[in-house]
Amino acid sequence: RGGGGAMLAAPLLLLLLLVAAGPGRARRDALREELLLSPLPTGDVAATFQFRTRWDADLQRGAVSHYRLFPKALGRLVAALGVRELHLALTQGFWRTRTWGQPPLQAPAGAELWVWFQPTVTDVDKAWKELSNILSGIFCASLNFIDSTNTVTPTASFKPLGLANGTDHHLLRYAVLPREVVCTENLTPWKKLLPCGSKAGLAVLLKAERLFHSSYHSQAVHIRPVCRDDSCLAVSWELRQTLTVVFDTFASGQGKKDWSLFKMFSRTLTDACPLASQSKVYVDISPKNKEKELLEVTPPPASVHEAVVQGDKKTYAVYDLLSPSLFNTSRSLNVQLKWMRPQDSSELPTPILHAQRYVSGYGLHTGEISTLIYNTHPYRAFPVILLETVPWYLRLYVHTLTIITKGKENKPSYIHYQPAQDRRRPHLLEMLIQLPANSVTKITIQFERALLKWTEYTPDPNHGFYVSSSVLSALVPSVIAMKDVDVEQSPLFTSLFPSSDGSSYFVRLYTEPLLVNLPTPDFSMPYNVICLTCTVVAVCYGSFYNLLTRTFHVEEPSRGGLAKRLANIIRKFRGVPPL
Amino acid sequence: VCTSRFWFNYRHVANTLSVYRSVKRLGIPDSHIVLMLADDMACNPRNPKPATVFSHKNMELNVYGDDVEVDYRSYEVTVENFLRVLTGRIPPSTPRSKRLLSDDRSNILIYMTGSHGGNGFLKFQDSEEITNVELADAFEQMWQKRRYNELLFIIDTCQGASMYERFYSPNIMALASSQVGEDSLSHQPDLGIGVHLMDRYTFYMLEFLEEIHPASQTNMNDLFQVCPKSLCVSTPGHRTDLFQRDPQNVLITDFFGSVRKVEITTETISLNRYSAGFESKLPKDELATEPLKYAEQLPVAQIIHQKPKQKDWHPPGGFILGLWALIIMVFFKTYGIKHMKHVF
């Protein structure tokens, strides 16, 4: 009788649960995809893809076992290793800030990984090593080469980009592998993390043969906790996958600057990803120097969006792939841009902040690293944090560090230097420098090259050794005041960095990596030494041994055989001495 | 495994990728393949067509493709890593895709190619070598740990037959592209790319494998005939004495393909709909009492006034201690102990 009662109660309970949940409850995860096409001042085209999955669940607590849009590989990684923020970028090429302008999100050449751990993690170094190994398996990259010789703990840069409850820099780790190659085998697992894969939506444009035939290719994964809504009382996890590629339209377009989606990617868009709640294409049609009618975009956009991005007012043509009117006329969307008249390329707008780094000196003993930072703002000064990581085999002389601005010495407001330990830790130099308006700041430091043990050289040592890019973080004052953006309503490329106030925007720049030749030994010397030593030992020891132990005794000459006797008889007749 | 580095060894990467491609085409998934490439040819700055690796001149066949997963790249291809993958003695934090997770019912195919092979050794990345004795011992370790059921070893390099001379574990069949004293030659250069694209043995082996489909019945004897001396210039060799079955009865797809057992069921299985009621079973998220905020990206004032990290105090050791001991000794020697009260 009790069993019967329970049988009746169970469906009632289920019904109650269903009713309590309510109809039409919002799903807990959402995907937004976006493509931003911006023509650069030199005529190249930059295409930035962003795929953002927001998941209203707390990955840290509770057993989360049902993954829908958020990839399981990354979700379990975050939960198991106590990761608060993860940023991994694989880049091929270099973003030329001086000619192309400020990048939306730049990454240094090679592989860059920086992670903030939760305060509950006790052994951060162990978690860091495990994390880099797991990520090397997921992304087919040699991230397992990240160890204490190329990991640093910055003290002022790389503040968390997500929600943070205090910033104890002991929980931060940063590493760069400048020698890492990016190719299709890194793109394939990146594409497999997307909910729609590369089969629908904007990701159909991602074909490796076109993406790697470019001047700059950068793919990144960013995981961070964000506010769930305006009141910001609950935490959601956000996964952003970004891919930036810069095509050289002159080289591939027979000398004309016109481009189209088909010419760049050899594909066109046919539909949006069915799992996405938003899927848009933005084309930057900002007029330069207040001249309209300079360019023409086909098909004509349904709407136009204006925003203040990086201190400049910009206009974007918007194509919404989810709106049914877009595919009325043709089944596929091929955005084309034509320049009406040739643009005079005599004046390229220079960005407010850009930097350059090079190594000078001669010979294989000493050298000098110089960094030039330009502030082209006419009247505003602002501070910049410079983070330099130099491998231990380039021994820096900190007493030769000089910072010169406009001919005078410039003392940094904050300086943190951690010297290297041979084979254990690299150099870390962090400085907060004030850049006066309209100035060039030159930072130089001298170094000496060390001789490595012969097993520590790579199989191709004559290629040289890389010094990873330095990082410049700055709050650049903007020309136009920026309003606070609502993350959910505004395009994704405006909400990369959390905005602090409207008067300045945060930018992170990377300089060039450096290639330095170390004194390389002759690798055939061990073989030569072994041969020579063995020969000498054999000759000397052999001779001594023979001298000491060889005895001589007289040997009776033998009578010889029949032939010899006959020959002797003939010789006796001839008068010749016998044999 | 491709063991050679530098752009002019393009053909070894093309060799390895063409075998990878055949093996994937015949059904073996990426999780069952460990691919080791010692250098990157597809995205090499000298490659006129990035993200492609061709095996035929006139660029007919792109063996790199769109769906490739390389497990060991560039500097990771070392003799130590190769032997660790074979024997399973791998550091615990190695991801699954870099391990050889085989058991005693697995058939393993090992294909090695490199530019510098010699009598009894194969050079890895032009800086270290693996000897045939090491390889034979590694296979014996695999046998004793029951890591394979049958093993097919193919090597395409100069004097390749010397590499399988020393095997002594059962159930191993070996093929090589050339005998001891002979060089393995490359097939054809491509004038657009500028280097030789494939080695002869692998080129004809790829042609042979392109005709195999997952259900074909070709056996090992056909693989032994794949490149006669007239086409290959070197004499390919093989070794079957350690193998228990007759090569006539061994199918190519035993090693190159993968057969999955599929059971077809006729009864229907009903899946529960993902209902919204499921959500309420999850623990309710804790709501913070006050709003959380993002960190300031460049808090200048906070950075300037950051206190330097207090270094832990260590007692002075070594040189400083010795120096002070010397000073104190000299002081007492000159002035005597009775003057100590003047010091304190």
Side-chain angles (χ1 to χ4, degrees), chain A residues 22-51:
Chain A
R25 186 187 163 126
R27 292 262 187 218
R28 295 194 65 157
D29 47 13
L31 169 72
R32 282 172 62 182
E33 52 178 24
E34 178 188 286
L35 166 60
L36 167 66
L37 296 159
S38 31
L40 299 171
T42 47
D44 307 280
V45 184
T48 308
F49 292 82
Q50 281 207 43
F51 301 90

mmCIF file of all heavy atoms in Angstrom, chain A residues 22-51:
data_model
loop_
_atom_site.group_PDB
_atom_site.id
_atom_site.type_symbol
_atom_site.label_atom_id
_atom_site.label_comp_id
_atom_site.label_asym_id
_atom_site.label_seq_id
_atom_site.Cartn_x
_atom_site.Cartn_y
_atom_site.Cartn_z
ATOM 1 N N GLY A 22 8.380 26.439 -14.601
ATOM 2 C CA GLY A 22 7.824 27.529 -15.402
ATOM 3 C C GLY A 22 8.082 27.322 -16.876
ATOM 4 O O GLY A 22 9.072 26.726 -17.263
ATOM 5 N N PRO A 23 7.187 27.819 -17.663
ATOM 6 C CA PRO A 23 7.360 27.650 -19.102
ATOM 7 C C PRO A 23 8.355 28.672 -19.639
ATOM 8 O O PRO A 23 8.509 29.748 -19.098
ATOM 9 C CB PRO A 23 5.959 27.908 -19.646
ATOM 10 C CG PRO A 23 5.353 28.843 -18.653
ATOM 11 C CD PRO A 23 5.977 28.553 -17.324
ATOM 12 N N GLY A 24 9.033 28.313 -20.708
ATOM 13 C CA GLY A 24 9.874 29.267 -21.418
ATOM 14 C C GLY A 24 11.030 29.783 -20.584
ATOM 15 O O GLY A 24 11.439 30.923 -20.722
ATOM 16 N N ARG A 25 11.593 28.942 -19.732
ATOM 17 C CA ARG A 25 12.726 29.424 -18.935
ATOM 18 C C ARG A 25 13.942 29.566 -19.832
ATOM 19 O O ARG A 25 14.203 28.713 -20.668
ATOM 20 C CB ARG A 25 12.995 28.398 -17.854
ATOM 21 C CG ARG A 25 14.058 28.878 -16.907
ATOM 22 C CD ARG A 25 14.409 27.789 -15.955
ATOM 23 N NE ARG A 25 15.669 28.055 -15.305
ATOM 24 C CZ ARG A 25 15.841 28.078 -14.008
ATOM 25 N NH1 ARG A 25 14.818 27.841 -13.221
ATOM 26 N NH2 ARG A 25 17.006 28.302 -13.481
ATOM 27 N N ALA A 26 14.654 30.618 -19.636
ATOM 28 C CA ALA A 26 15.781 30.879 -20.532
ATOM 29 C C ALA A 26 16.848 29.814 -20.368
ATOM 30 O O ALA A 26 17.099 29.333 -19.277
ATOM 31 C CB ALA A 26 16.370 32.254 -20.222
ATOM 32 N N ARG A 27 17.495 29.476 -21.444
ATOM 33 C CA ARG A 27 18.595 28.526 -21.403
ATOM 34 C C ARG A 27 19.732 29.142 -20.629
ATOM 35 O O ARG A 27 19.880 30.350 -20.607
ATOM 36 C CB ARG A 27 19.065 28.243 -22.826
ATOM 37 C CG ARG A 27 18.073 27.494 -23.637
ATOM 38 C CD ARG A 27 18.440 26.054 -23.625
ATOM 39 N NE ARG A 27 17.610 25.292 -24.513
ATOM 40 C CZ ARG A 27 17.176 24.081 -24.238
ATOM 41 N NH1 ARG A 27 17.482 23.554 -23.099
ATOM 42 N NH2 ARG A 27 16.443 23.428 -25.091
ATOM 43 N N ARG A 28 20.582 28.322 -20.075
ATOM 44 C CA ARG A 28 21.612 28.892 -19.240
ATOM 45 C C ARG A 28 22.859 29.258 -20.014
ATOM 46 O O ARG A 28 23.749 29.845 -19.459
ATOM 47 C CB ARG A 28 21.940 27.895 -18.138
ATOM 48 C CG ARG A 28 20.733 27.709 -17.248
ATOM 49 C CD ARG A 28 21.076 27.038 -15.993
ATOM 50 N NE ARG A 28 21.966 27.845 -15.185
ATOM 51 C CZ ARG A 28 22.074 27.696 -13.889
ATOM 52 N NH1 ARG A 28 21.345 26.812 -13.287
ATOM 53 N NH2 ARG A 28 22.913 28.419 -13.200
ATOM 54 N N ASP A 29 22.968 28.871 -21.269
ATOM 55 C CA ASP A 29 24.142 29.306 -22.005
ATOM 56 C C ASP A 29 23.717 29.901 -23.337
ATOM 57 O O ASP A 29 22.684 29.565 -23.878
ATOM 58 C CB ASP A 29 25.135 28.149 -22.212
ATOM 59 C CG ASP A 29 24.459 26.905 -22.706
ATOM 60 O OD1 ASP A 29 23.292 26.979 -23.128
ATOM 61 O OD2 ASP A 29 25.097 25.839 -22.671
ATOM 62 N N ALA A 30 24.530 30.814 -23.818
ATOM 63 C CA ALA A 30 24.183 31.545 -25.041
ATOM 64 C C ALA A 30 25.440 31.762 -25.850
ATOM 65 O O ALA A 30 26.525 31.962 -25.307
ATOM 66 C CB ALA A 30 23.546 32.894 -24.687
ATOM 67 N N LEU A 31 25.266 31.743 -27.163
ATOM 68 C CA LEU A 31 26.397 31.938 -28.084
ATOM 69 C C LEU A 31 26.130 33.152 -28.937
ATOM 70 O O LEU A 31 25.035 33.316 -29.463
ATOM 71 C CB LEU A 31 26.558 30.696 -28.971
ATOM 72 C CG LEU A 31 27.520 30.853 -30.149
ATOM 73 C CD1 LEU A 31 28.948 30.896 -29.651
ATOM 74 C CD2 LEU A 31 27.358 29.700 -31.120
ATOM 75 N N ARG A 32 27.148 33.995 -29.039
ATOM 76 C CA ARG A 32 27.065 35.119 -29.960
ATOM 77 C C ARG A 32 28.271 35.029 -30.870
ATOM 78 O O ARG A 32 29.380 34.842 -30.398
ATOM 79 C CB ARG A 32 27.140 36.437 -29.198
ATOM 80 C CG ARG A 32 25.851 36.829 -28.518
ATOM 81 C CD ARG A 32 26.055 38.026 -27.642
ATOM 82 N NE ARG A 32 26.471 39.191 -28.417
ATOM 83 C CZ ARG A 32 26.755 40.350 -27.874
ATOM 84 N NH1 ARG A 32 26.710 40.510 -26.576
ATOM 85 N NH2 ARG A 32 27.132 41.355 -28.615
ATOM 86 N N GLU A 33 28.054 35.215 -32.151
ATOM 87 C CA GLU A 33 29.197 35.212 -33.055
ATOM 88 C C GLU A 33 29.207 36.496 -33.863
ATOM 89 O O GLU A 33 28.165 37.083 -34.131
ATOM 90 C CB GLU A 33 29.187 33.992 -33.969
ATOM 91 C CG GLU A 33 27.919 33.761 -34.721
ATOM 92 C CD GLU A 33 28.018 32.549 -35.636
ATOM 93 O OE1 GLU A 33 28.843 31.658 -35.365
ATOM 94 O OE2 GLU A 33 27.276 32.524 -36.610
ATOM 95 N N GLU A 34 30.415 36.914 -34.217
ATOM 96 C CA GLU A 34 30.547 38.233 -34.825
ATOM 97 C C GLU A 34 31.788 38.247 -35.694
ATOM 98 O O GLU A 34 32.800 37.642 -35.364
ATOM 99 C CB GLU A 34 30.691 39.233 -33.684
ATOM 100 C CG GLU A 34 30.886 40.637 -34.099
ATOM 101 C CD GLU A 34 31.217 41.461 -32.879
ATOM 102 O OE1 GLU A 34 30.286 41.713 -32.101
ATOM 103 O OE2 GLU A 34 32.393 41.790 -32.703
ATOM 104 N N LEU A 35 31.680 38.967 -36.778
ATOM 105 C CA LEU A 35 32.837 39.147 -37.664
ATOM 106 C C LEU A 35 32.969 40.632 -37.912
ATOM 107 O O LEU A 35 32.009 41.304 -38.269
ATOM 108 C CB LEU A 35 32.605 38.400 -38.984
ATOM 109 C CG LEU A 35 33.522 38.720 -40.159
ATOM 110 C CD1 LEU A 35 34.961 38.413 -39.808
ATOM 111 C CD2 LEU A 35 33.114 37.906 -41.367
ATOM 112 N N LEU A 36 34.164 41.144 -37.696
ATOM 113 C CA LEU A 36 34.408 42.572 -37.918
ATOM 114 C C LEU A 36 35.427 42.696 -39.042
ATOM 115 O O LEU A 36 36.516 42.153 -38.962
ATOM 116 C CB LEU A 36 34.963 43.209 -36.633
ATOM 117 C CG LEU A 36 35.548 44.605 -36.764
ATOM 118 C CD1 LEU A 36 34.474 45.592 -37.121
ATOM 119 C CD2 LEU A 36 36.216 45.024 -35.472
ATOM 120 N N LEU A 37 35.051 43.408 -40.097
ATOM 121 C CA LEU A 37 35.969 43.610 -41.221
ATOM 122 C C LEU A 37 36.357 45.073 -41.226
ATOM 123 O O LEU A 37 35.504 45.943 -41.349
ATOM 124 C CB LEU A 37 35.263 43.265 -42.541
ATOM 125 C CG LEU A 37 34.857 41.812 -42.683
ATOM 126 C CD1 LEU A 37 33.762 41.656 -43.713
ATOM 127 C CD2 LEU A 37 36.050 41.000 -43.112
ATOM 128 N N SER A 38 37.626 45.334 -41.060
ATOM 129 C CA SER A 38 38.032 46.746 -41.079
ATOM 130 C C SER A 38 39.165 46.940 -42.060
ATOM 131 O O SER A 38 40.191 46.272 -41.973
ATOM 132 C CB SER A 38 38.440 47.218 -39.688
ATOM 133 O OG SER A 38 38.990 46.181 -38.943
ATOM 134 N N PRO A 39 38.984 47.845 -43.001
ATOM 135 C CA PRO A 39 40.096 48.179 -43.889
ATOM 136 C C PRO A 39 41.123 48.993 -43.120
ATOM 137 O O PRO A 39 40.788 49.905 -42.376
ATOM 138 C CB PRO A 39 39.444 49.008 -44.993
ATOM 139 C CG PRO A 39 38.000 49.087 -44.690
ATOM 140 C CD PRO A 39 37.766 48.583 -43.325
ATOM 141 N N LEU A 40 42.390 48.627 -43.293
ATOM 142 C CA LEU A 40 43.457 49.307 -42.572
ATOM 143 C C LEU A 40 44.024 50.417 -43.444
ATOM 144 O O LEU A 40 43.880 50.381 -44.659
ATOM 145 C CB LEU A 40 44.548 48.287 -42.213
ATOM 146 C CG LEU A 40 44.062 47.165 -41.308
ATOM 147 C CD1 LEU A 40 45.133 46.106 -41.188
ATOM 148 C CD2 LEU A 40 43.716 47.697 -39.941
ATOM 149 N N PRO A 41 44.681 51.381 -42.841
ATOM 150 C CA PRO A 41 45.145 52.529 -43.622
ATOM 151 C C PRO A 41 46.044 52.151 -44.799
ATOM 152 O O PRO A 41 46.044 52.840 -45.809
ATOM 153 C CB PRO A 41 45.918 53.362 -42.598
ATOM 154 C CG PRO A 41 45.355 52.983 -41.287
ATOM 155 C CD PRO A 41 44.904 51.578 -41.404
ATOM 156 N N THR A 42 46.812 51.084 -44.698
ATOM 157 C CA THR A 42 47.722 50.761 -45.794
ATOM 158 C C THR A 42 47.044 50.001 -46.910
ATOM 159 O O THR A 42 47.691 49.646 -47.875
ATOM 160 C CB THR A 42 48.870 49.889 -45.279
ATOM 161 O OG1 THR A 42 48.311 48.862 -44.475
ATOM 162 C CG2 THR A 42 49.850 50.688 -44.487
ATOM 163 N N GLY A 43 45.772 49.693 -46.774
ATOM 164 C CA GLY A 43 45.112 48.935 -47.830
ATOM 165 C C GLY A 43 44.877 47.484 -47.489
ATOM 166 O O GLY A 43 44.167 46.783 -48.195
ATOM 167 N N ASP A 44 45.476 47.010 -46.389
ATOM 168 C CA ASP A 44 45.183 45.627 -46.001
ATOM 169 C C ASP A 44 43.815 45.572 -45.351
ATOM 170 O O ASP A 44 43.245 46.594 -44.993
ATOM 171 C CB ASP A 44 46.227 45.138 -44.985
ATOM 172 C CG ASP A 44 47.632 45.339 -45.489
ATOM 173 O OD1 ASP A 44 48.070 44.520 -46.295
ATOM 174 O OD2 ASP A 44 48.262 46.324 -45.081
ATOM 175 N N VAL A 45 43.324 44.380 -45.181
ATOM 176 C CA VAL A 45 42.021 44.190 -44.539
ATOM 177 C C VAL A 45 42.218 43.313 -43.316
ATOM 178 O O VAL A 45 42.868 42.279 -43.397
ATOM 179 C CB VAL A 45 41.034 43.476 -45.479
ATOM 180 C CG1 VAL A 45 39.681 43.381 -44.842
ATOM 181 C CG2 VAL A 45 40.961 44.197 -46.784
ATOM 182 N N ALA A 46 41.674 43.740 -42.200
ATOM 183 C CA ALA A 46 41.741 42.933 -40.983
ATOM 184 C C ALA A 46 40.372 42.332 -40.733
ATOM 185 O O ALA A 46 39.366 43.024 -40.758
ATOM 186 C CB ALA A 46 42.157 43.788 -39.796
ATOM 187 N N ALA A 47 40.330 41.033 -40.518
ATOM 188 C CA ALA A 47 39.073 40.354 -40.212
ATOM 189 C C ALA A 47 39.206 39.766 -38.827
ATOM 190 O O ALA A 47 40.130 39.015 -38.558
ATOM 191 C CB ALA A 47 38.809 39.246 -41.241
ATOM 192 N N THR A 48 38.290 40.136 -37.928
ATOM 193 C CA THR A 48 38.331 39.623 -36.567
ATOM 194 C C THR A 48 37.070 38.834 -36.308
ATOM 195 O O THR A 48 35.973 39.362 -36.365
ATOM 196 C CB THR A 48 38.423 40.784 -35.561
ATOM 197 O OG1 THR A 48 39.492 41.616 -35.932
ATOM 198 C CG2 THR A 48 38.662 40.265 -34.173
ATOM 199 N N PHE A 49 37.231 37.550 -36.031
ATOM 200 C CA PHE A 49 36.096 36.700 -35.673
ATOM 201 C C PHE A 49 36.031 36.612 -34.166
ATOM 202 O O PHE A 49 37.063 36.457 -33.513
ATOM 203 C CB PHE A 49 36.309 35.281 -36.208
ATOM 204 C CG PHE A 49 36.266 35.160 -37.692
ATOM 205 C CD1 PHE A 49 37.379 35.450 -38.465
ATOM 206 C CD2 PHE A 49 35.119 34.730 -38.324
ATOM 207 C CE1 PHE A 49 37.351 35.326 -39.833
ATOM 208 C CE2 PHE A 49 35.080 34.593 -39.697
ATOM 209 C CZ PHE A 49 36.195 34.901 -40.445
ATOM 210 N N GLN A 50 34.835 36.707 -33.604
ATOM 211 C CA GLN A 50 34.703 36.490 -32.162
ATOM 212 C C GLN A 50 33.528 35.578 -31.924
ATOM 213 O O GLN A 50 32.442 35.803 -32.438
ATOM 214 C CB GLN A 50 34.460 37.805 -31.437
ATOM 215 C CG GLN A 50 35.715 38.605 -31.230
ATOM 216 C CD GLN A 50 35.612 39.498 -30.024
ATOM 217 O OE1 GLN A 50 35.125 39.078 -28.982
ATOM 218 N NE2 GLN A 50 36.048 40.712 -30.186
ATOM 219 N N PHE A 51 33.755 34.548 -31.130
ATOM 220 C CA PHE A 51 32.680 33.632 -30.757
ATOM 221 C C PHE A 51 32.612 33.642 -29.244
ATOM 222 O O PHE A 51 33.571 33.285 -28.583
ATOM 223 C CB PHE A 51 32.995 32.212 -31.250
ATOM 224 C CG PHE A 51 33.166 32.126 -32.734
ATOM 225 C CD1 PHE A 51 34.405 32.303 -33.316
ATOM 226 C CD2 PHE A 51 32.084 31.873 -33.560
ATOM 227 C CE1 PHE A 51 34.578 32.230 -34.687
ATOM 228 C CE2 PHE A 51 32.238 31.795 -34.930
ATOM 229 C CZ PHE A 51 33.486 31.978 -35.487
#
